[in-house]
Amino acid sequence: MMKLRLELILLLIYFGLNQAFGKQAIYQSNFPEGLYQTKEDFLKKTPSLFLQLTIDKIKLVNDSDSLARRCFFKEKDTNKKIKKVFAISHNGQLYFSNWAILDNKSQKDKSVSPVESMNSFVRVLIGGDNFLYAEGAFVNPWQTGFSAGVAEGVGGIIGSELGNAIDKSYPITTFGGTGVVWDIKNEEFNIFRNCSDFNDFVENFPVEKIDCGKQIFELKQIREILNKIK
């Protein structure tokens, strides 16, 4: 009894500290383990393939997360990169490919390209009945000055250069990453290109909008609001 009480106290302290320091709980996927090659497989929650995989984590600025937020997947036996796969459920985490996001993005998200490879993946950070939220590296190539090849993920840039590219991509945007959601009801991705774009997205939800004229549009703000409407 004493041991159980001590464990309960420690658990409460843990969650209390998480809230106090604003730490986000790790999203756990409810999708069966495996590779979902198509959107249809994903919607049916039926994996197309089962492979032993390894993860190549993409280096991000000030990233202390033990789990890869953006990465490549490789077959363990052959070391070949996984390509043209909609999503992967791996070790309790869910990942979307850049290829899937661009191929299934909302029609409103025009002139958006990934700075990283089309075959790289982003991990779902927040999930619920309405949305699955991740953070990628997307820019408007017309406004960054990057070549078409790099903008389409043939090359790729990292670190502060990537942050600056995203920052310059739109007049007001997120530094170091771009918020992306899978809209479960509408079966499409939405890429939050800038502050007003995000406010339009949450228009019909009972949440306070971001003041685009006075506040810096940050990923932290997106996460806080998505946690309320997920």
Side-chain angles (χ1 to χ4, degrees):
M1 178 65 74
M2 182 65 72
K3 183 180 178 182
L4 182 62
R5 186 177 298 173
L6 179 60
E7 288 176 350
L8 180 59
I9 291 171
L10 290 173
L11 192 62
L12 290 172
I13 291 172
Y14 170 78
F15 282 114
L17 287 172
N18 269 358
Q19 287 188 344
F21 290 102
K23 290 184 179 179
Q24 181 182 305
I26 296 174
Y27 169 75
Q28 292 292 315
S29 170
N30 60 1
F31 281 74
E33 295 268 313
L35 286 73
Y36 297 81
Q37 288 188 296
T38 67
K39 174 181 173 180
E40 290 68 33
D41 293 334
F42 181 76
L43 293 175
K44 292 185 292 186
K45 288 191 174 183
T46 305
S48 326
L49 289 171
F50 301 92
L51 297 172
Q52 292 293 314
L53 302 172
T54 59
I55 291 180
D56 272 358
K57 188 176 181 181
I58 294 173
K59 290 183 179 180
L60 305 176
V61 177
N62 298 324
D63 181 15
S64 59
D65 198 334
S66 59
L67 295 170
R69 287 175 178 257
R70 303 208 290 268
C71 64
F72 291 96
F73 280 95
K74 292 182 178 180
E75 289 188 52
K76 191 173 183 178
D77 294 337
T78 64
N79 207 38
K80 289 183 179 179
K81 282 184 181 178
I82 301 299
K83 298 180 179 181
K84 275 215 165 183
V85 168
F86 186 91
I88 293 178
S89 181
H90 179 72
N91 289 343
Q93 301 299 310
L94 183 63
Y95 302 80
F96 290 117
S97 70
N98 278 341
W99 167 78
I101 294 170
L102 266 293
D103 202 46
N104 295 276
K105 72 181 188 298
S106 168
Q107 291 185 351
K108 294 183 293 183
D109 294 332
K110 297 178 180 178
S111 300
V112 176
S113 295
V115 179
E116 293 164 350
S117 168
M118 289 285 277
N119 294 308
S120 63
F121 289 76
V122 296
R123 176 168 62 90
V124 172
L125 305 176
I126 299 170
D129 295 330
N130 298 313
F131 306 112
L132 297 172
Y133 171 76
E135 291 167 0
F138 297 92
V139 297
N140 183 333
W142 297 103
Q143 293 179 335
T144 60
F146 282 106
S147 68
V150 171
E152 290 170 5
V154 177
I157 55 175
I158 61 173
S160 60
E161 189 181 358
L162 172 58
N164 290 333
I166 294 171
D167 193 43
K168 293 175 183 175
S169 182
Y170 297 96
I172 304 172
T173 187
T174 55
F175 184 83
T178 314
V180 179
V181 293
W182 171 252
D183 187 326
I184 294 173
K185 180 181 178 181
N186 293 315
E187 299 178 359
E188 65 181 12
F189 289 100
N190 274 267
I191 301 170
F192 302 137
R193 299 169 296 159
N194 50 49
C195 184
S196 59
D197 184 39
F198 180 71
N199 279 342
D200 288 343
F201 182 80
V202 299
E203 177 73 36
N204 297 319
F205 290 91
V207 291
E208 187 175 347
K209 292 184 178 180
I210 297 170
D211 188 336
C212 298
K214 296 181 179 179
Q215 294 175 266
I216 298 173
F217 186 44
E218 296 178 315
L219 293 174
K220 180 182 176 183
Q221 295 168 306
I222 297 177
R223 294 175 201 143
E224 289 173 352
I225 293 174
L226 259 296
N227 263 315
K228 296 175 182 177
I229 66 174
K230 63 183 181 182

